[in-house]
PDB file of all heavy atoms in Angstrom:
ATOM      1  N   GLN A 316      13.066  29.206 -49.783  1.00  0.00           N
ATOM      2  CA  GLN A 316      13.242  30.254 -50.791  1.00  0.00           C
ATOM      3  C   GLN A 316      14.040  31.354 -50.122  1.00  0.00           C
ATOM      4  O   GLN A 316      13.505  32.128 -49.324  1.00  0.00           O
ATOM      5  CB  GLN A 316      11.894  30.791 -51.291  1.00  0.00           C
ATOM      6  CG  GLN A 316      12.031  31.777 -52.442  1.00  0.00           C
ATOM      7  CD  GLN A 316      10.670  32.190 -52.978  1.00  0.00           C
ATOM      8  OE1 GLN A 316       9.664  32.044 -52.294  1.00  0.00           O
ATOM      9  NE2 GLN A 316      10.636  32.700 -54.183  1.00  0.00           N
ATOM     10  N   ASP A 317      15.324  31.381 -50.414  1.00  0.00           N
ATOM     11  CA  ASP A 317      16.289  32.195 -49.666  1.00  0.00           C
ATOM     12  C   ASP A 317      16.265  31.752 -48.201  1.00  0.00           C
ATOM     13  O   ASP A 317      16.751  30.678 -47.899  1.00  0.00           O
ATOM     14  CB  ASP A 317      16.007  33.683 -49.850  1.00  0.00           C
ATOM     15  CG  ASP A 317      16.387  34.154 -51.256  1.00  0.00           C
ATOM     16  OD1 ASP A 317      17.071  33.371 -51.975  1.00  0.00           O
ATOM     17  OD2 ASP A 317      15.988  35.249 -51.660  1.00  0.00           O
ATOM     18  N   VAL A 318      15.707  32.539 -47.295  1.00  0.00           N
ATOM     19  CA  VAL A 318      15.714  32.169 -45.870  1.00  0.00           C
ATOM     20  C   VAL A 318      14.327  31.758 -45.392  1.00  0.00           C
ATOM     21  O   VAL A 318      14.152  31.474 -44.195  1.00  0.00           O
ATOM     22  CB  VAL A 318      16.237  33.337 -45.008  1.00  0.00           C
ATOM     23  CG1 VAL A 318      17.683  33.638 -45.321  1.00  0.00           C
ATOM     24  CG2 VAL A 318      15.379  34.581 -45.188  1.00  0.00           C
ATOM     25  N   THR A 319      13.343  31.727 -46.272  1.00  0.00           N
ATOM     26  CA  THR A 319      11.971  31.431 -45.865  1.00  0.00           C
ATOM     27  C   THR A 319      11.661  29.974 -46.148  1.00  0.00           C
ATOM     28  O   THR A 319      11.890  29.477 -47.252  1.00  0.00           O
ATOM     29  CB  THR A 319      10.977  32.332 -46.622  1.00  0.00           C
ATOM     30  OG1 THR A 319      11.352  33.692 -46.437  1.00  0.00           O
ATOM     31  CG2 THR A 319       9.563  32.116 -46.106  1.00  0.00           C
ATOM     32  N   LEU A 320      11.162  29.277 -45.125  1.00  0.00           N
ATOM     33  CA  LEU A 320      10.760  27.882 -45.291  1.00  0.00           C
ATOM     34  C   LEU A 320       9.425  27.844 -46.027  1.00  0.00           C
ATOM     35  O   LEU A 320       8.418  28.361 -45.555  1.00  0.00           O
ATOM     36  CB  LEU A 320      10.634  27.190 -43.928  1.00  0.00           C
ATOM     37  CG  LEU A 320      10.197  25.723 -43.960  1.00  0.00           C
ATOM     38  CD1 LEU A 320      11.238  24.875 -44.666  1.00  0.00           C
ATOM     39  CD2 LEU A 320       9.963  25.202 -42.539  1.00  0.00           C
ATOM     40  N   LYS A 321       9.408  27.207 -47.201  1.00  0.00           N
ATOM     41  CA  LYS A 321       8.212  27.156 -48.025  1.00  0.00           C
ATOM     42  C   LYS A 321       7.473  25.823 -47.920  1.00  0.00           C
ATOM     43  O   LYS A 321       6.263  25.768 -48.078  1.00  0.00           O
ATOM     44  CB  LYS A 321       8.581  27.406 -49.501  1.00  0.00           C
ATOM     45  CG  LYS A 321       9.021  28.829 -49.805  1.00  0.00           C
ATOM     46  CD  LYS A 321       7.877  29.807 -49.582  1.00  0.00           C
ATOM     47  CE  LYS A 321       8.262  31.220 -49.991  1.00  0.00           C
ATOM     48  NZ  LYS A 321       7.142  32.161 -49.796  1.00  0.00           N
ATOM     49  N   TRP A 322       8.179  24.744 -47.686  1.00  0.00           N
ATOM     50  CA  TRP A 322       7.536  23.434 -47.654  1.00  0.00           C
ATOM     51  C   TRP A 322       8.411  22.464 -46.871  1.00  0.00           C
ATOM     52  O   TRP A 322       9.621  22.638 -46.777  1.00  0.00           O
ATOM     53  CB  TRP A 322       7.324  22.916 -49.079  1.00  0.00           C
ATOM     54  CG  TRP A 322       6.330  21.788 -49.160  1.00  0.00           C
ATOM     55  CD1 TRP A 322       6.594  20.459 -49.212  1.00  0.00           C
ATOM     56  CD2 TRP A 322       4.916  21.909 -49.197  1.00  0.00           C
ATOM     57  NE1 TRP A 322       5.432  19.745 -49.290  1.00  0.00           N
ATOM     58  CE2 TRP A 322       4.370  20.610 -49.281  1.00  0.00           C
ATOM     59  CE3 TRP A 322       4.032  23.003 -49.181  1.00  0.00           C
ATOM     60  CZ2 TRP A 322       3.013  20.370 -49.324  1.00  0.00           C
ATOM     61  CZ3 TRP A 322       2.679  22.758 -49.240  1.00  0.00           C
ATOM     62  CH2 TRP A 322       2.173  21.456 -49.308  1.00  0.00           C
ATOM     63  N   ALA A 323       7.774  21.473 -46.303  1.00  0.00           N
ATOM     64  CA  ALA A 323       8.488  20.411 -45.599  1.00  0.00           C
ATOM     65  C   ALA A 323       7.799  19.099 -45.922  1.00  0.00           C
ATOM     66  O   ALA A 323       6.563  19.020 -45.914  1.00  0.00           O
ATOM     67  CB  ALA A 323       8.500  20.648 -44.088  1.00  0.00           C
ATOM     68  N   ALA A 324       8.570  18.082 -46.233  1.00  0.00           N
ATOM     69  CA  ALA A 324       8.019  16.785 -46.618  1.00  0.00           C
ATOM     70  C   ALA A 324       8.754  15.688 -45.865  1.00  0.00           C
ATOM     71  O   ALA A 324       9.971  15.763 -45.657  1.00  0.00           O
ATOM     72  CB  ALA A 324       8.137  16.560 -48.125  1.00  0.00           C
ATOM     73  N   GLN A 325       8.011  14.682 -45.450  1.00  0.00           N
ATOM     74  CA  GLN A 325       8.580  13.540 -44.734  1.00  0.00           C
ATOM     75  C   GLN A 325       9.053  12.492 -45.724  1.00  0.00           C
ATOM     76  O   GLN A 325       8.311  12.096 -46.631  1.00  0.00           O
ATOM     77  CB  GLN A 325       7.526  12.945 -43.800  1.00  0.00           C
ATOM     78  CG  GLN A 325       8.018  11.786 -42.959  1.00  0.00           C
ATOM     79  CD  GLN A 325       8.870  12.254 -41.793  1.00  0.00           C
ATOM     80  OE1 GLN A 325       8.626  13.303 -41.237  1.00  0.00           O
ATOM     81  NE2 GLN A 325       9.875  11.480 -41.440  1.00  0.00           N
ATOM     82  N   LEU A 326      10.304  12.026 -45.538  1.00  0.00           N
ATOM     83  CA  LEU A 326      10.861  10.968 -46.365  1.00  0.00           C
ATOM     84  C   LEU A 326      10.855   9.659 -45.591  1.00  0.00           C
ATOM     85  O   LEU A 326      10.653   9.628 -44.366  1.00  0.00           O
ATOM     86  CB  LEU A 326      12.279  11.319 -46.806  1.00  0.00           C
ATOM     87  CG  LEU A 326      12.443  12.576 -47.672  1.00  0.00           C
ATOM     88  CD1 LEU A 326      13.915  12.850 -47.917  1.00  0.00           C
ATOM     89  CD2 LEU A 326      11.705  12.423 -49.000  1.00  0.00           C
ATOM     90  N   SER A 327      11.117   8.584 -46.287  1.00  0.00           N
ATOM     91  CA  SER A 327      11.163   7.275 -45.637  1.00  0.00           C
ATOM     92  C   SER A 327      12.501   6.994 -44.975  1.00  0.00           C
ATOM     93  O   SER A 327      12.601   6.070 -44.168  1.00  0.00           O
ATOM     94  CB  SER A 327      10.853   6.176 -46.662  1.00  0.00           C
ATOM     95  OG  SER A 327      11.796   6.215 -47.720  1.00  0.00           O
ATOM     96  N   CYS A 328      13.542   7.756 -45.294  1.00  0.00           N
ATOM     97  CA  CYS A 328      14.865   7.546 -44.716  1.00  0.00           C
ATOM     98  C   CYS A 328      15.635   8.859 -44.769  1.00  0.00           C
ATOM     99  O   CYS A 328      15.222   9.816 -45.420  1.00  0.00           O
ATOM    100  CB  CYS A 328      15.631   6.434 -45.452  1.00  0.00           C
ATOM    101  SG  CYS A 328      15.749   6.712 -47.218  1.00  0.00           S
TER     102      CYS A 328
END
Side-chain angles (χ1 to χ4, degrees):
Q316 186 175 20
D317 288 348
V318 295
T319 306
L320 179 64
K321 290 295 185 179
W322 197 262
Q325 182 77 34
L326 298 175
S327 59
C328 55

